[in-house]
Amino acid sequence: MRSIWNGAISFGLVSIPIKLVNATESHSISFRQIHVNDGGRVRYRKVCELDGEEVPSAEIGKGYEEADGSIVPITDEDLAQLPLATAKTIEIMSFVPAEEIDPLQMDAAYYLAANGATAAKPYTLLREALKRSRKVAIAKYALRGRERLGMLRVVDDVIAMHGLLWPDEIRAPEGVAPEADVTVRDAELDLADALMATLGEVEMASLHDDYREAVEALIVAKSGGAFEATEAVVEPAGGQVIDLMAALERSVRAAKASRGEADGGGEEEVAAEAEVTPIRRKARAGARTGTGTGTGAAAPKAVGGKKSTAASAKKTASSAATKKKTTTAGAKSTAGKSTSRTAKTAAKSTAKTAAAKKTGSGAAGASKKTATPRKRTSA
């Protein structure tokens, strides 16, 4: 990797020659400005305001504009003559715990490479000292015309330096926090913790730039002439949260379902809660008049999508109630007919018994009259 700055690390009386190398790179896709009518590229030309001539890069210097608009020329030789100790040195001032550094101060990152064989020993000494102390070094250095603040730490077997913003460059977050007085319940915090635990951790190396990949695919398609514009499917943005607890609960279930973890209803329950739509049914004529013997409700027409759980429960309850009514009415009717038949049979049996008794009584009387003994006649 090409170095962008050569100097030394000042570690007390120890000087470590180093080279500064960019630790990061940008993968952003750059676009050129073109003339829409003919596709010609639009270029910026550096023109002198006094003579109107284009100026080559070799003739361009730097200057400071004062309040009245006049320019004070500043050369590289002028800057090199400044009595600044950090002009070519990364001067370590102190060592502090890493957690004391506010991430808001983080700026560009660099790798510090040992410059030459003689730098290997002191470089390794500083690296191992940083490892054992579990601290970071705070240093000053000058780069690109200004003095900067830096933080040195160990990354694998290399000393890395993060540029830091000066404390007075961090703006206070005034007027950013919500002004309304909001109270968060413990139950809501518990659900938020559960959602965080369910989402778990992510391997940073697995993250990638989806938008850049889509732009690259677009460029390839258009360059080959096979690009067809399609309407992008954009998920609707979240609206006003009505029930925060319900939203958190659904989020936890959806997160578990996406990770393949069983959790009660899972995605189906979440979908049922989100898509419940009552379905109106027309009752049969017999059910309305009370003379029918069917289930009491017509079967619903087939509709697309998922059926409502609540509607299915209502249909089952209605059908069960109608069957119960029909069964009860039938039982009552059967019981009534059976009782009537039994009563008629008993009445007929009673009448026959009474007639038999009457007939028997008459026959017995006649027999008594016939069997009366005759009186004897004396000789």
Side-chain angles (χ1 to χ4, degrees):
M1 292 184 287
R2 187 175 64 87
S3 63
I4 61 173
W5 184 87
N6 292 339
I9 299 176
S10 175
F11 178 31
L13 297 178
V14 178
S15 181
I16 310 171
I18 56 98
K19 296 185 294 185
L20 197 66
V21 179
N22 280 321
T24 61
E25 58 185 3
S26 176
H27 291 167
S28 299
I29 298 175
S30 299
F31 294 102
R32 302 293 186 184
Q33 290 187 331
I34 63 171
H35 188 195
V36 177
N37 293 339
D38 55 17
R41 182 176 172 182
V42 176
R43 296 179 180 271
Y44 289 97
R45 301 184 184 276
K46 297 179 180 180
V47 178
C48 177
E49 292 182 351
L50 297 179
D51 57 17
E53 298 292 333
E54 184 177 352
V55 182
S57 298
E59 298 180 8
I60 297 177
K62 56 176 74 77
Y64 176 79
E65 183 178 3
E66 294 186 320
D68 59 358
S70 60
I71 302 295
V72 178
I74 302 294
T75 65
D76 293 337
E77 290 75 14
D78 294 335
L79 297 175
Q81 293 176 2
L82 292 176
L84 187 62
T86 58
K88 282 292 182 178
T89 304
I90 300 175
E91 183 180 357
I92 295 178
M93 298 180 297
S94 64
F95 295 86
V96 299
E99 55 268 19
E100 291 188 8
I101 305 300
D102 191 339
L104 284 174
Q105 288 185 257
M106 296 289 185
D107 202 357
Y110 308 93
Y111 290 137
L112 304 182
N115 192 4
T118 58
K121 179 70 174 182
Y123 183 95
T124 305
L125 172 65
L126 177 58
R127 183 191 67 195
E128 296 303 316
L130 288 171
K131 280 185 179 180
R132 190 166 70 172
S133 67
R134 297 183 179 178
K135 293 183 177 181
V136 296
I138 302 300
K140 285 183 178 182
Y141 66 101
L143 181 65
R144 298 189 179 98
R146 55 172 294 205
E147 190 174 53
R148 302 167 187 263
L149 193 62
M151 178 191 75
L152 277 64
R153 69 184 185 97
V154 178
V155 177
D156 295 333
D157 290 331
V158 177
I159 298 176
M161 182 174 70
H162 295 269
L164 298 179
L165 299 175
W166 295 97
D168 58 358
E169 293 180 317
I170 305 298
R171 300 173 63 183
E174 297 178 355
V176 178
E179 297 180 0
D181 187 11
V182 180
T183 302
V184 179
R185 295 177 295 168
D186 291 339
E188 294 170 336
L189 285 174
D190 293 340
L191 279 173
D193 291 341
L195 179 57
M196 293 168 62
T198 304
L199 292 176
E201 299 178 354
V202 64
E203 294 183 5
M204 298 299 292
S206 66
L207 302 178
H208 58 278
D209 190 347
D210 293 329
Y211 184 78
R212 177 174 59 85
E213 293 179 357
V215 173
E216 290 175 348
L218 168 65
I219 294 172
V220 172
K222 293 202 73 171
S223 63
F227 175 73
E228 293 183 3
T230 57
E231 185 177 355
V233 179
V234 181
E235 294 293 335
Q240 182 181 5
V241 177
I242 304 300
D243 190 341
L244 184 57
M245 291 289 289
L248 286 170
E249 289 173 354
R250 288 196 294 269
S251 299
V252 171
R253 288 197 295 269
K256 287 185 177 180
S258 65
R259 297 170 66 90
E261 300 178 11
D263 179 45
E267 289 182 336
E268 295 180 359
E269 182 178 347
V270 175
E273 291 182 4
E275 299 180 11
V276 171
T277 304
I279 301 175
R280 296 182 178 179
R281 298 177 176 83
K282 296 182 179 180
R284 292 181 180 176
R288 289 196 300 265
T289 57
T291 58
T293 58
T295 59
K301 295 181 180 179
V303 295
K306 296 182 179 180
K307 293 183 179 180
S308 167
T309 305
S312 300
K314 290 181 180 179
K315 175 184 175 183
T316 305
S318 175
S319 176
T322 306
K323 288 182 178 180
K324 183 176 180 181
K325 291 179 181 179
T326 304
T327 305
T328 304
K332 289 181 179 180
S333 176
T334 304
K337 291 180 180 180
S338 177
T339 304
S340 177
R341 290 175 182 174
T342 303
K344 289 181 180 180
T345 304
K348 289 181 180 181
S349 177
T350 303
K352 287 181 179 180
T353 302
K357 287 182 179 181
K358 184 177 181 181
T359 303
S361 177
S367 176
K368 287 181 180 180
K369 290 180 180 180
T370 305
T372 303
R374 298 179 180 176
K375 294 181 180 181
R376 290 183 180 181
T377 307
S378 58

